[in-house]
Amino acid sequence: MIMLAFFARFFKKHPSVMEKHTARIFFTNTLSGKKELFIPQKPGIALMYTCGPTVYGPAHIGNLRAFIFSDTIARVLKVAGYRVRRVINITDFGHLVSDGDDGEDKMTKGLRREGLTLTLENMRAMAEKYAAIFFEDIAFLNIDTKEITFPRASDYIAEQIAFITTLEQKGYAYRTRDGVYFDTARFSGYGKLGGITMCCQQENTRIKKNKEKHAPADFVLWKSDSKLGWESPWGRGFPGWHIECSAMARSLLGQEIDIHTGGEDHIAIHHNNEIAQSEAASGRTFVHYWMHNAFLNMGSEKISKSLGNAVYLSDVITKKFNPLALRYFFLQAHYRTPLSFSWDALAGAASALNRLWDIAREIAIESKHKSAPSEIRERFLATMRDDLATPQALSVLWDSLRSEEYTPEEKWGLIEDADVHLGLSLVNPPATNGLTEKNVPEEIRDMLARRQAARDSKDFKEADRIRGEISDRGYRVDDGPNGPVLTRTTL
Ligand code: AMP
Ligand code: ZN
C-alpha cells in the first residue's frame, strides 16, 4: 500500500513518465470541482465503480444516460492504454431505499405491483427479471460489458455485515431499537463531496422524524425487521442501502479506487455516505475521482419513475428508433449539462446518426477499409480526453468527414477512432438502420420485396414507383453495398 501511494505521488509529480504507456486524460472531479489530470493508483490500471440500477422495474432512459456516461469514460481510458476493471452493482433488495432513511421501499413496491407476496425469493426473482431487461437495454446501447462485474447486493450480505461490524468496532456506529446507524459526528470530513454542509442535511419534514437518530445526517447501516431479511449480530433485517456500494467496491476492487460514477442526485447523500463508511473503516481515501452526470429531464422536471414521466428504451424501440439514436442524443450534450428529452429531439438525433452511417458506408467503400494517421484523429482524441467533450468530438467528426481536405483513408481512420470512443457502430452501420423484421410493418416488407423483384428483372421504372410508395409511408430505401437499406423518416 505504501508502494502504491508512492507511485501515485511520483506520477503526479512526473506525469511524463506515465505518458509513455498511457495518454493524458482530464476529468472533472466532483471532489475538487475542477478538471484534473487522471492519475491512477496503479500505473496502467483504472479501477472504476458505478452505482447501478435498483431492479424493481426497467431502467428509464434517464438511468441509461448514467450508464452511457460511465461506458464513455471506460472507452476513453481503454483507448488511452489503460486496463479498466469495473463494477456496477445490482440493487436487488431494499428496505430503506430512499436517499434519507424514509420513503417507501422500492423493491416492496415492485412486489406489490406484480401481485407477489413479500418474500426474499420473490424479491430475487423479480430482481433477476428486471436485471435481464437492464442487460438487454445496455447491449442495445453498445455498452461494453467485457470488463464489468455486476454483483447482486443480496450475494454480499456477509461482506456488508462484516463492514458494519468494523464500523461498530471503530466507534463509528451506534445501535438503536430499530437497527444500527452511522454516527456522522465521528467522521470529520462528512459532506466533503459537493461541499454539502450539515445545515443542508435536514430530514424531510414531511416524514416523521426518526427520534432514534442522534443527528439528522446519521444514516442507517442495518435496519431490523422481525419478519423479513437476513440474520445478523443486530437481529434479523436488512443492510441500509448505502453500505452495499462500500462493501462491494471493497470486495471487488479494493479499499482505494480510482473513479466512482453516478448521477448527480447521488452526490449529496448517497456518495457522501459511501465516503464516510469506507474511509471510516479503512482510514484511507476511498475514491480519487468522483464523476457525476447531470440529469435527463422531461420539460422542467427530471425523468423519474415516481413522477410518472419515465420513458423506457422499449418505448424508443416501439417508436421505431434505433436504440443508438438515444446514445447519439446523449453524446450531443456534455455529460455535466442537463439535457431535455423530447421525441422530436430524438428524431433529430436519429436522422443525424442515419446520415453519419450513410457517410461512413461511402467512406468504407472509397477507402477500402484502410486507415491512415492524420491530425484530425489527434484532434478527435484530444477532445475526448478533455473531460469527454463529446459535443466537440462530434463536430470534429462531422466537419472532417464533410471536408474535401482529407483522404478517404484519413477519414476512415477517424471513423475507426470515433467508433471505439462513441460506440455508435460507425465501422459497421446496421444494414437496416435498426429496423428489423419485427418492427417493419408487413406492408413495407412486401413493398421492399416487390421493388427488389422489379430491380432484379431490370424494371427500374416500377422499382422507382414502389420506392415512392414506400417513401409516402414514412420510409426511405437506399441501395447500399449489401443490399437495400431502409430508414424511418417520420415518427
Ligand atoms: P437508481 O436505479 O435510481 O439508483 O438510478 C441508477 C442511476 O441513474 C444512478 O446513477 C442515478 O443517479 C441515475 N439517474 C436517475 N435518474 C436520472 C435522470 N433522470 N437522469 C440522469 N441520471 C439519472
Ligand atoms: Zn452507490
Side-chain angles (χ1 to χ4, degrees):
M1 284 314 128
I2 293 167
M3 279 303 273
L4 286 188
F6 167 78
F7 276 127
R9 273 201 309 276
F10 177 80
F11 287 122
K12 228 168 209 151
K13 273 198 191 145
H14 308 282
S16 58
V17 176
M18 200 177 57
E19 270 171 60
K20 288 198 180 119
H21 308 286
T22 45
R24 282 160 73 89
I25 301 175
F26 291 85
F27 291 135
T28 297
N29 189 347
T30 312
L31 213 42
S32 64
K34 295 198 184 100
K35 228 188 260 187
E36 295 177 11
L37 175 66
F38 175 67
I39 302 186
Q41 292 306 291
K42 260 194 208 165
I45 299 179
L47 304 178
M48 189 169 157
Y49 187 95
T50 294
C51 288
T54 306
V55 279
Y56 72 114
H60 58 65
I61 58 172
N63 302 135
L64 295 175
R65 184 180 191 194
F67 301 108
I68 288 178
F69 158 57
S70 58
D71 180 58
T72 312
I73 300 175
R75 284 169 175 272
V76 168
L77 288 166
K78 269 188 273 177
V79 181
Y82 289 96
R83 208 184 115 216
V84 184
R85 281 183 51 210
R86 299 189 56 192
V87 170
I88 299 183
N89 63 303
I90 303 287
T91 302
D92 62 349
F93 70 84
H95 213 75
L96 295 165
V97 291
S98 74
D99 264 357
D101 298 330
D102 50 50
E104 196 179 14
D105 163 41
K106 291 184 189 172
M107 293 299 284
T108 309
K109 194 172 159 184
L111 284 180
R112 208 179 39 243
R113 186 193 60 224
E114 313 236 325
L116 296 168
T117 48
L118 189 59
T119 65
L120 287 179
E121 292 69 33
N122 283 347
M123 248 187 214
R124 178 81 187 205
M126 181 181 71
E128 285 309 316
K129 176 171 116 184
Y130 290 113
I133 295 175
F134 174 69
F135 294 134
E136 205 176 270
D137 284 355
I138 62 175
F140 271 132
L141 291 167
N142 272 357
I143 288 176
D144 183 356
T145 54
K146 278 197 286 296
E147 292 85 7
I148 310 179
T149 307
F150 294 96
R152 275 54 169 182
S154 67
D155 288 336
Y156 285 79
I157 299 298
E159 287 79 356
Q160 295 177 73
I161 290 175
F163 209 114
I164 300 167
T165 305
T166 305
L167 290 174
E168 209 175 27
Q169 283 164 354
K170 291 195 168 189
Y172 287 99
Y174 58 86
R175 295 187 190 199
T176 65
R177 272 173 306 167
D178 69 343
V180 182
Y181 285 81
F182 187 92
D183 190 352
T184 51
R186 288 270 294 116
F187 185 72
S188 59
Y190 188 79
K192 65 181 170 186
L193 191 69
I196 309 299
T197 53
M198 295 302 257
C199 75
C200 308
Q201 294 276 308
Q202 298 299 330
E203 272 182 317
N204 187 335
T205 47
R206 285 183 295 116
I207 311 279
K208 194 163 53 75
K209 288 239 179 322
N210 183 335
K211 295 205 180 66
E212 304 259 342
K213 283 207 244 180
H214 297 176
D218 292 356
F219 54 91
V220 76
L221 295 167
W222 187 267
K223 172 77 179 146
S224 312
D225 187 316
S226 56
K227 292 188 224 90
L228 197 68
W230 290 273
E231 293 304 331
S232 83
W234 317 281
R236 186 196 289 271
F238 288 86
W241 87 282
H242 309 293
I243 198 75
E244 74 175 67
C245 288
S246 286
M248 291 192 281
R250 181 166 79 178
S251 299
L252 294 162
L253 296 173
Q255 301 198 83
E256 257 180 81
I257 62 178
D258 296 304
I259 302 173
H260 192 314
T261 76
E264 63 184 357
D265 57 322
H266 282 342
I267 299 173
I269 299 179
H270 180 50
H271 288 166
N272 272 308
N273 291 356
E274 278 191 45
I275 293 174
Q277 295 162 156
S278 296
E279 298 193 353
S282 72
R284 288 164 45 186
T285 303
F286 172 40
V287 172
H288 292 270
Y289 300 82
W290 282 94
M291 295 178 69
H292 294 94
N293 63 280
F295 257 44
L296 180 68
N297 299 316
M298 184 71 93
S300 56
E301 282 180 327
K302 67 173 184 176
I303 288 195
S304 119
K305 272 179 211 162
S306 50
L307 291 175
N309 62 1
V311 171
Y312 300 94
L313 194 65
S314 54
D315 299 324
V316 169
I317 295 170
T318 306
K319 285 192 184 272
K320 315 263 189 293
F321 287 104
N322 186 304
L324 293 182
L326 185 68
R327 186 168 180 127
Y328 187 96
F329 173 67
F330 290 153
L331 295 173
Q332 283 175 313
H334 190 259
Y335 72 88
R336 300 181 70 231
T337 309
L339 184 59
S340 199
F341 179 81
S342 72
W343 289 105
D344 279 347
L346 185 64
S351 97
L353 180 59
N354 282 331
R355 280 209 307 283
L356 207 48
W357 281 338
D358 287 343
I359 297 172
R361 285 187 193 101
E362 281 162 25
I363 296 173
I365 296 168
E366 287 165 15
S367 66
K368 303 194 176 60
H369 293 91
K370 288 216 170 61
S371 57
S374 67
E375 75 48 57
I376 40 172
R377 295 174 67 176
E378 296 306 318
R379 258 194 300 140
F380 181 86
L381 289 177
T383 56
M384 289 303 294
R385 289 171 186 169
D386 180 11
D387 200 22
L388 318 178
T390 54
Q392 286 79 359
L394 282 174
S395 60
V396 170
L397 181 64
W398 275 106
D399 292 349
S400 314
L401 296 185
R402 282 189 186 131
S403 158
E404 309 270 294
E405 246 179 82
Y406 307 104
T407 64
E409 292 73 21
E410 286 170 334
K411 289 183 181 179
W412 186 250
L414 174 63
I415 287 173
E416 284 179 338
D417 284 340
D419 202 29
V420 283
H421 282 90
L422 305 176
L424 291 171
S425 294
L426 299 175
V427 166
N428 281 309
T432 58
N433 283 355
L435 298 171
T436 62
E437 283 274 299
K438 260 200 249 160
N439 62 16
V440 175
E442 203 181 324
E443 178 197 35
I444 304 291
R445 275 187 275 143
D446 186 49
M447 285 179 183
L448 268 181
R450 283 194 285 115
R451 177 177 174 272
Q452 196 52 43
R455 277 174 63 82
D456 290 346
S457 57
K458 308 242 179 305
D459 187 352
F460 295 112
K461 210 166 150 209
E462 175 63 1
D464 277 352
R465 193 191 61 74
I466 301 173
R467 171 188 260 158
E469 270 183 23
I470 293 175
S471 155
D472 292 344
R473 282 164 179 74
Y475 292 84
R476 198 183 81 209
V477 57
D478 296 301
D479 295 299
N482 302 318
V485 176
L486 195 65
T487 309
R488 176 97 181 155
T489 52
T490 55
L491 281 183

